[in-house]
Amino acid sequence: MTNFVFIAPPAAGKGTQSKMLVEKYGYEHVSTGDLLREEIAKKTELGMQINEVISAGKLVNDELVLKMLKAKLESIISDNKSFIIDGFPRTFNQAKLLEEVLASLNKEDYKVIYMDLDYEEAKNRVLGRLMCLNCGKSYNDKITSLMPKVEGKCDSCGALLEKRSDDTEETFKVRFDTFIENTKPIIEFYNSNNKLINIDANKSAEDIFKNIETYVTEVK
Ligand code: AMP
């Protein structure tokens, strides 16, 4: 199956779409945001430093994120599974680092899915977003179709839902600006490499998925 790299502004639905691909097609999902949040949850010294950076909406240093990503990718590839990378690259330097890593693992055949989302829609989604602490499923208390069936609880596993520490209005603005300034310029790089797939993420999760899954079989 085609390996995918997701690039998108905050709350475009990278995590949601990845989970849907995992469930339907058996992909392995690597989210650099999730890997960093796992380190924070361990309450280590490193976790506390990462938390400060994430809560400010800034980017964690390349070396650390790359190390975590590489370890995860090596294990997925040794299991012969297809992967989705969600949240990396976020800068031109990271795009170059990813090329090197994937070349060293003999996996240069990936496609980059760019999920385009308007500023106002991204802001509404971020401000209402609730995450399941146990399975990572995401909900929204401001969008009817994305509300949990029981307030504050995950439909899938029943665990408590919580706001992410970086889903505030102030941090959202920094994250969106960082995306426009650092991440959006790499879209052209992938376009010129014939790796780019453009997806309109202003639609419902189901409609976005219908669009994305056409590339699971069409792009080899
Ligand atoms: P996400 O879950 O993708 O929204 O990421 C949450 C936060 O984790 C980001 O706002 C960054 O602070 C940090 N982060 C995730 N991926 C990266 C990356 N590739 N490089 C640097 N920081 C990252």
Side-chain angles (χ1 to χ4, degrees), residues 39-68:
E39 191 62 41
I40 295 173
K42 289 186 206 153
K43 298 194 193 303
T44 56
E45 180 66 30
L46 177 64
M48 269 141 59
Q49 287 166 13
I50 294 172
N51 192 32
E52 258 181 51
V53 179
I54 290 189
S55 299
K58 300 201 178 125
L59 294 180
V60 176
N61 80 68
D62 289 353
E63 204 187 325
L64 174 64
V65 186
L66 185 73
K67 195 172 150 206
M68 290 175 159

PDB file of all heavy atoms in Angstrom, residues 39-68:
ATOM      1  N   GLU A  39       5.812  11.399  25.852  1.00  0.00           N
ATOM      2  CA  GLU A  39       6.970  11.745  26.693  1.00  0.00           C
ATOM      3  C   GLU A  39       6.529  12.695  27.831  1.00  0.00           C
ATOM      4  O   GLU A  39       6.957  12.549  28.973  1.00  0.00           O
ATOM      5  CB  GLU A  39       8.060  12.398  25.824  1.00  0.00           C
ATOM      6  CG  GLU A  39       9.398  12.559  26.508  1.00  0.00           C
ATOM      7  CD  GLU A  39      10.049  11.237  26.933  1.00  0.00           C
ATOM      8  OE1 GLU A  39       9.988  10.265  26.167  1.00  0.00           O
ATOM      9  OE2 GLU A  39      10.616  11.191  28.061  1.00  0.00           O
ATOM     10  N   ILE A  40       5.624  13.624  27.513  1.00  0.00           N
ATOM     11  CA  ILE A  40       5.120  14.557  28.542  1.00  0.00           C
ATOM     12  C   ILE A  40       4.379  13.770  29.632  1.00  0.00           C
ATOM     13  O   ILE A  40       4.546  14.025  30.820  1.00  0.00           O
ATOM     14  CB  ILE A  40       4.168  15.613  27.913  1.00  0.00           C
ATOM     15  CG1 ILE A  40       4.941  16.513  26.943  1.00  0.00           C
ATOM     16  CG2 ILE A  40       3.489  16.453  28.991  1.00  0.00           C
ATOM     17  CD1 ILE A  40       4.070  17.475  26.141  1.00  0.00           C
ATOM     18  N   ALA A  41       3.578  12.781  29.188  1.00  0.00           N
ATOM     19  CA  ALA A  41       2.776  12.000  30.142  1.00  0.00           C
ATOM     20  C   ALA A  41       3.651  11.226  31.122  1.00  0.00           C
ATOM     21  O   ALA A  41       3.230  10.924  32.246  1.00  0.00           O
ATOM     22  CB  ALA A  41       1.852  11.048  29.383  1.00  0.00           C
ATOM     23  N   LYS A  42       4.896  10.917  30.721  1.00  0.00           N
ATOM     24  CA  LYS A  42       5.808  10.182  31.613  1.00  0.00           C
ATOM     25  C   LYS A  42       6.362  11.071  32.714  1.00  0.00           C
ATOM     26  O   LYS A  42       7.027  10.588  33.633  1.00  0.00           O
ATOM     27  CB  LYS A  42       6.984   9.608  30.801  1.00  0.00           C
ATOM     28  CG  LYS A  42       6.613   8.464  29.902  1.00  0.00           C
ATOM     29  CD  LYS A  42       7.901   7.915  29.272  1.00  0.00           C
ATOM     30  CE  LYS A  42       7.634   7.245  27.958  1.00  0.00           C
ATOM     31  NZ  LYS A  42       8.804   7.273  27.069  1.00  0.00           N
ATOM     32  N   LYS A  43       6.124  12.391  32.577  1.00  0.00           N
ATOM     33  CA  LYS A  43       6.561  13.381  33.576  1.00  0.00           C
ATOM     34  C   LYS A  43       8.079  13.363  33.813  1.00  0.00           C
ATOM     35  O   LYS A  43       8.540  13.553  34.934  1.00  0.00           O
ATOM     36  CB  LYS A  43       5.806  13.205  34.897  1.00  0.00           C
ATOM     37  CG  LYS A  43       4.303  13.421  34.762  1.00  0.00           C
ATOM     38  CD  LYS A  43       3.663  13.567  36.121  1.00  0.00           C
ATOM     39  CE  LYS A  43       2.159  13.488  36.136  1.00  0.00           C
ATOM     40  NZ  LYS A  43       1.428  14.410  35.327  1.00  0.00           N
ATOM     41  N   THR A  44       8.836  13.060  32.760  1.00  0.00           N
ATOM     42  CA  THR A  44      10.297  13.106  32.866  1.00  0.00           C
ATOM     43  C   THR A  44      10.756  14.560  32.728  1.00  0.00           C
ATOM     44  O   THR A  44       9.979  15.429  32.327  1.00  0.00           O
ATOM     45  CB  THR A  44      10.944  12.290  31.719  1.00  0.00           C
ATOM     46  OG1 THR A  44      10.433  12.831  30.487  1.00  0.00           O
ATOM     47  CG2 THR A  44      10.591  10.830  31.792  1.00  0.00           C
ATOM     48  N   GLU A  45      12.035  14.793  33.023  1.00  0.00           N
ATOM     49  CA  GLU A  45      12.625  16.136  32.836  1.00  0.00           C
ATOM     50  C   GLU A  45      12.458  16.564  31.366  1.00  0.00           C
ATOM     51  O   GLU A  45      12.047  17.687  31.075  1.00  0.00           O
ATOM     52  CB  GLU A  45      14.116  16.069  33.215  1.00  0.00           C
ATOM     53  CG  GLU A  45      14.882  17.355  33.081  1.00  0.00           C
ATOM     54  CD  GLU A  45      14.426  18.447  34.046  1.00  0.00           C
ATOM     55  OE1 GLU A  45      13.949  18.105  35.163  1.00  0.00           O
ATOM     56  OE2 GLU A  45      14.537  19.604  33.663  1.00  0.00           O
ATOM     57  N   LEU A  46      12.760  15.619  30.455  1.00  0.00           N
ATOM     58  CA  LEU A  46      12.630  15.902  29.028  1.00  0.00           C
ATOM     59  C   LEU A  46      11.162  16.234  28.700  1.00  0.00           C
ATOM     60  O   LEU A  46      10.878  17.191  27.971  1.00  0.00           O
ATOM     61  CB  LEU A  46      13.089  14.688  28.211  1.00  0.00           C
ATOM     62  CG  LEU A  46      12.947  14.788  26.699  1.00  0.00           C
ATOM     63  CD1 LEU A  46      13.837  15.899  26.147  1.00  0.00           C
ATOM     64  CD2 LEU A  46      13.301  13.459  26.023  1.00  0.00           C
ATOM     65  N   GLY A  47      10.247  15.460  29.289  1.00  0.00           N
ATOM     66  CA  GLY A  47       8.815  15.684  29.066  1.00  0.00           C
ATOM     67  C   GLY A  47       8.387  17.080  29.489  1.00  0.00           C
ATOM     68  O   GLY A  47       7.596  17.746  28.812  1.00  0.00           O
ATOM     69  N   MET A  48       8.938  17.538  30.608  1.00  0.00           N
ATOM     70  CA  MET A  48       8.573  18.868  31.099  1.00  0.00           C
ATOM     71  C   MET A  48       9.094  19.960  30.155  1.00  0.00           C
ATOM     72  O   MET A  48       8.403  20.941  29.893  1.00  0.00           O
ATOM     73  CB  MET A  48       9.100  19.084  32.521  1.00  0.00           C
ATOM     74  CG  MET A  48       8.042  18.651  33.557  1.00  0.00           C
ATOM     75  SD  MET A  48       8.719  17.818  34.998  1.00  0.00           S
ATOM     76  CE  MET A  48       9.811  18.987  35.672  1.00  0.00           C
ATOM     77  N   GLN A  49      10.290  19.740  29.614  1.00  0.00           N
ATOM     78  CA  GLN A  49      10.841  20.717  28.657  1.00  0.00           C
ATOM     79  C   GLN A  49       9.993  20.740  27.370  1.00  0.00           C
ATOM     80  O   GLN A  49       9.681  21.806  26.836  1.00  0.00           O
ATOM     81  CB  GLN A  49      12.284  20.345  28.286  1.00  0.00           C
ATOM     82  CG  GLN A  49      13.272  20.623  29.403  1.00  0.00           C
ATOM     83  CD  GLN A  49      14.620  19.934  29.144  1.00  0.00           C
ATOM     84  OE1 GLN A  49      14.898  19.455  28.055  1.00  0.00           O
ATOM     85  NE2 GLN A  49      15.447  19.882  30.172  1.00  0.00           N
ATOM     86  N   ILE A  50       9.591  19.551  26.927  1.00  0.00           N
ATOM     87  CA  ILE A  50       8.765  19.469  25.708  1.00  0.00           C
ATOM     88  C   ILE A  50       7.430  20.186  25.948  1.00  0.00           C
ATOM     89  O   ILE A  50       6.931  20.920  25.097  1.00  0.00           O
ATOM     90  CB  ILE A  50       8.509  17.983  25.314  1.00  0.00           C
ATOM     91  CG1 ILE A  50       9.812  17.308  24.893  1.00  0.00           C
ATOM     92  CG2 ILE A  50       7.475  17.877  24.212  1.00  0.00           C
ATOM     93  CD1 ILE A  50       9.701  15.809  24.683  1.00  0.00           C
ATOM     94  N   ASN A  51       6.868  19.991  27.135  1.00  0.00           N
ATOM     95  CA  ASN A  51       5.575  20.587  27.456  1.00  0.00           C
ATOM     96  C   ASN A  51       5.616  22.109  27.341  1.00  0.00           C
ATOM     97  O   ASN A  51       4.679  22.732  26.841  1.00  0.00           O
ATOM     98  CB  ASN A  51       5.152  20.170  28.869  1.00  0.00           C
ATOM     99  CG  ASN A  51       3.702  20.519  29.130  1.00  0.00           C
ATOM    100  OD1 ASN A  51       2.881  20.506  28.210  1.00  0.00           O
ATOM    101  ND2 ASN A  51       3.382  20.864  30.371  1.00  0.00           N
ATOM    102  N   GLU A  52       6.717  22.688  27.797  1.00  0.00           N
ATOM    103  CA  GLU A  52       6.840  24.151  27.709  1.00  0.00           C
ATOM    104  C   GLU A  52       6.793  24.629  26.266  1.00  0.00           C
ATOM    105  O   GLU A  52       6.121  25.598  25.941  1.00  0.00           O
ATOM    106  CB  GLU A  52       8.182  24.587  28.315  1.00  0.00           C
ATOM    107  CG  GLU A  52       8.033  25.158  29.696  1.00  0.00           C
ATOM    108  CD  GLU A  52       9.361  25.613  30.259  1.00  0.00           C
ATOM    109  OE1 GLU A  52      10.070  26.365  29.576  1.00  0.00           O
ATOM    110  OE2 GLU A  52       9.675  25.173  31.381  1.00  0.00           O
ATOM    111  N   VAL A  53       7.513  23.906  25.406  1.00  0.00           N
ATOM    112  CA  VAL A  53       7.576  24.298  23.991  1.00  0.00           C
ATOM    113  C   VAL A  53       6.204  24.133  23.339  1.00  0.00           C
ATOM    114  O   VAL A  53       5.696  25.030  22.656  1.00  0.00           O
ATOM    115  CB  VAL A  53       8.637  23.443  23.240  1.00  0.00           C
ATOM    116  CG1 VAL A  53       8.703  23.815  21.776  1.00  0.00           C
ATOM    117  CG2 VAL A  53       9.998  23.592  23.885  1.00  0.00           C
ATOM    118  N   ILE A  54       5.567  22.966  23.566  1.00  0.00           N
ATOM    119  CA  ILE A  54       4.271  22.688  22.930  1.00  0.00           C
ATOM    120  C   ILE A  54       3.201  23.666  23.424  1.00  0.00           C
ATOM    121  O   ILE A  54       2.407  24.178  22.646  1.00  0.00           O
ATOM    122  CB  ILE A  54       3.848  21.215  23.178  1.00  0.00           C
ATOM    123  CG1 ILE A  54       4.768  20.287  22.381  1.00  0.00           C
ATOM    124  CG2 ILE A  54       2.395  20.991  22.817  1.00  0.00           C
ATOM    125  CD1 ILE A  54       4.339  18.843  22.356  1.00  0.00           C
ATOM    126  N   SER A  55       3.196  23.941  24.730  1.00  0.00           N
ATOM    127  CA  SER A  55       2.176  24.844  25.280  1.00  0.00           C
ATOM    128  C   SER A  55       2.317  26.259  24.735  1.00  0.00           C
ATOM    129  O   SER A  55       1.351  27.016  24.721  1.00  0.00           O
ATOM    130  CB  SER A  55       2.247  24.874  26.803  1.00  0.00           C
ATOM    131  OG  SER A  55       2.007  23.589  27.284  1.00  0.00           O
ATOM    132  N   ALA A  56       3.532  26.601  24.287  1.00  0.00           N
ATOM    133  CA  ALA A  56       3.731  27.936  23.708  1.00  0.00           C
ATOM    134  C   ALA A  56       3.415  27.927  22.211  1.00  0.00           C
ATOM    135  O   ALA A  56       3.469  28.961  21.560  1.00  0.00           O
ATOM    136  CB  ALA A  56       5.167  28.393  23.939  1.00  0.00           C
ATOM    137  N   GLY A  57       3.100  26.746  21.660  1.00  0.00           N
ATOM    138  CA  GLY A  57       2.761  26.645  20.236  1.00  0.00           C
ATOM    139  C   GLY A  57       3.988  26.637  19.335  1.00  0.00           C
ATOM    140  O   GLY A  57       3.878  26.763  18.122  1.00  0.00           O
ATOM    141  N   LYS A  58       5.176  26.472  19.951  1.00  0.00           N
ATOM    142  CA  LYS A  58       6.413  26.504  19.144  1.00  0.00           C
ATOM    143  C   LYS A  58       6.806  25.102  18.694  1.00  0.00           C
ATOM    144  O   LYS A  58       6.182  24.116  19.096  1.00  0.00           O
ATOM    145  CB  LYS A  58       7.527  27.124  19.984  1.00  0.00           C
ATOM    146  CG  LYS A  58       7.174  28.539  20.412  1.00  0.00           C
ATOM    147  CD  LYS A  58       8.418  29.304  20.778  1.00  0.00           C
ATOM    148  CE  LYS A  58       8.072  30.722  21.160  1.00  0.00           C
ATOM    149  NZ  LYS A  58       8.585  31.065  22.478  1.00  0.00           N
ATOM    150  N   LEU A  59       7.886  25.013  17.912  1.00  0.00           N
ATOM    151  CA  LEU A  59       8.337  23.709  17.419  1.00  0.00           C
ATOM    152  C   LEU A  59       9.431  23.133  18.308  1.00  0.00           C
ATOM    153  O   LEU A  59      10.368  23.843  18.699  1.00  0.00           O
ATOM    154  CB  LEU A  59       8.854  23.832  15.984  1.00  0.00           C
ATOM    155  CG  LEU A  59       7.822  24.204  14.915  1.00  0.00           C
ATOM    156  CD1 LEU A  59       8.480  24.288  13.540  1.00  0.00           C
ATOM    157  CD2 LEU A  59       6.682  23.195  14.874  1.00  0.00           C
ATOM    158  N   VAL A  60       9.313  21.846  18.584  1.00  0.00           N
ATOM    159  CA  VAL A  60      10.332  21.113  19.349  1.00  0.00           C
ATOM    160  C   VAL A  60      11.547  20.912  18.420  1.00  0.00           C
ATOM    161  O   VAL A  60      11.390  20.858  17.196  1.00  0.00           O
ATOM    162  CB  VAL A  60       9.734  19.757  19.806  1.00  0.00           C
ATOM    163  CG1 VAL A  60      10.760  18.901  20.509  1.00  0.00           C
ATOM    164  CG2 VAL A  60       8.505  20.001  20.685  1.00  0.00           C
ATOM    165  N   ASN A  61      12.753  20.776  19.008  1.00  0.00           N
ATOM    166  CA  ASN A  61      13.930  20.735  18.112  1.00  0.00           C
ATOM    167  C   ASN A  61      13.973  19.482  17.227  1.00  0.00           C
ATOM    168  O   ASN A  61      13.557  18.392  17.618  1.00  0.00           O
ATOM    169  CB  ASN A  61      15.244  20.977  18.889  1.00  0.00           C
ATOM    170  CG  ASN A  61      15.726  19.736  19.600  1.00  0.00           C
ATOM    171  OD1 ASN A  61      16.120  18.774  18.966  1.00  0.00           O
ATOM    172  ND2 ASN A  61      15.676  19.756  20.916  1.00  0.00           N
ATOM    173  N   ASP A  62      14.502  19.719  16.019  1.00  0.00           N
ATOM    174  CA  ASP A  62      14.482  18.699  14.960  1.00  0.00           C
ATOM    175  C   ASP A  62      15.096  17.374  15.399  1.00  0.00           C
ATOM    176  O   ASP A  62      14.567  16.304  15.113  1.00  0.00           O
ATOM    177  CB  ASP A  62      15.294  19.193  13.749  1.00  0.00           C
ATOM    178  CG  ASP A  62      14.573  20.312  13.014  1.00  0.00           C
ATOM    179  OD1 ASP A  62      13.419  20.611  13.351  1.00  0.00           O
ATOM    180  OD2 ASP A  62      15.191  20.881  12.096  1.00  0.00           O
ATOM    181  N   GLU A  63      16.255  17.477  16.077  1.00  0.00           N
ATOM    182  CA  GLU A  63      17.013  16.279  16.429  1.00  0.00           C
ATOM    183  C   GLU A  63      16.189  15.318  17.283  1.00  0.00           C
ATOM    184  O   GLU A  63      16.134  14.112  17.037  1.00  0.00           O
ATOM    185  CB  GLU A  63      18.254  16.727  17.203  1.00  0.00           C
ATOM    186  CG  GLU A  63      19.400  15.763  17.146  1.00  0.00           C
ATOM    187  CD  GLU A  63      20.511  16.205  18.081  1.00  0.00           C
ATOM    188  OE1 GLU A  63      20.708  17.437  18.211  1.00  0.00           O
ATOM    189  OE2 GLU A  63      21.130  15.336  18.684  1.00  0.00           O
ATOM    190  N   LEU A  64      15.504  15.901  18.282  1.00  0.00           N
ATOM    191  CA  LEU A  64      14.703  15.086  19.197  1.00  0.00           C
ATOM    192  C   LEU A  64      13.518  14.438  18.470  1.00  0.00           C
ATOM    193  O   LEU A  64      13.274  13.232  18.608  1.00  0.00           O
ATOM    194  CB  LEU A  64      14.209  15.967  20.359  1.00  0.00           C
ATOM    195  CG  LEU A  64      13.244  15.314  21.326  1.00  0.00           C
ATOM    196  CD1 LEU A  64      13.915  14.157  22.043  1.00  0.00           C
ATOM    197  CD2 LEU A  64      12.728  16.338  22.332  1.00  0.00           C
ATOM    198  N   VAL A  65      12.791  15.238  17.685  1.00  0.00           N
ATOM    199  CA  VAL A  65      11.613  14.703  16.987  1.00  0.00           C
ATOM    200  C   VAL A  65      12.051  13.635  15.985  1.00  0.00           C
ATOM    201  O   VAL A  65      11.433  12.566  15.887  1.00  0.00           O
ATOM    202  CB  VAL A  65      10.811  15.824  16.276  1.00  0.00           C
ATOM    203  CG1 VAL A  65       9.530  15.272  15.677  1.00  0.00           C
ATOM    204  CG2 VAL A  65      10.478  16.948  17.245  1.00  0.00           C
ATOM    205  N   LEU A  66      13.137  13.896  15.273  1.00  0.00           N
ATOM    206  CA  LEU A  66      13.625  12.941  14.269  1.00  0.00           C
ATOM    207  C   LEU A  66      14.017  11.603  14.902  1.00  0.00           C
ATOM    208  O   LEU A  66      13.715  10.537  14.375  1.00  0.00           O
ATOM    209  CB  LEU A  66      14.829  13.526  13.517  1.00  0.00           C
ATOM    210  CG  LEU A  66      15.320  12.658  12.370  1.00  0.00           C
ATOM    211  CD1 LEU A  66      14.353  12.708  11.187  1.00  0.00           C
ATOM    212  CD2 LEU A  66      16.703  13.070  11.912  1.00  0.00           C
ATOM    213  N   LYS A  67      14.646  11.676  16.063  1.00  0.00           N
ATOM    214  CA  LYS A  67      15.078  10.452  16.761  1.00  0.00           C
ATOM    215  C   LYS A  67      13.864   9.572  17.098  1.00  0.00           C
ATOM    216  O   LYS A  67      13.878   8.356  16.862  1.00  0.00           O
ATOM    217  CB  LYS A  67      15.819  10.868  18.041  1.00  0.00           C
ATOM    218  CG  LYS A  67      16.606   9.764  18.667  1.00  0.00           C
ATOM    219  CD  LYS A  67      17.460  10.305  19.800  1.00  0.00           C
ATOM    220  CE  LYS A  67      17.641   9.228  20.835  1.00  0.00           C
ATOM    221  NZ  LYS A  67      17.901   9.756  22.161  1.00  0.00           N
ATOM    222  N   MET A  68      12.816  10.228  17.636  1.00  0.00           N
ATOM    223  CA  MET A  68      11.602   9.472  17.987  1.00  0.00           C
ATOM    224  C   MET A  68      10.940   8.881  16.741  1.00  0.00           C
ATOM    225  O   MET A  68      10.538   7.722  16.710  1.00  0.00           O
ATOM    226  CB  MET A  68      10.590  10.410  18.666  1.00  0.00           C
ATOM    227  CG  MET A  68      10.983  10.874  20.052  1.00  0.00           C
ATOM    228  SD  MET A  68       9.787  12.085  20.653  1.00  0.00           S
ATOM    229  CE  MET A  68      10.091  11.962  22.408  1.00  0.00           C
TER     230      MET A  68
END
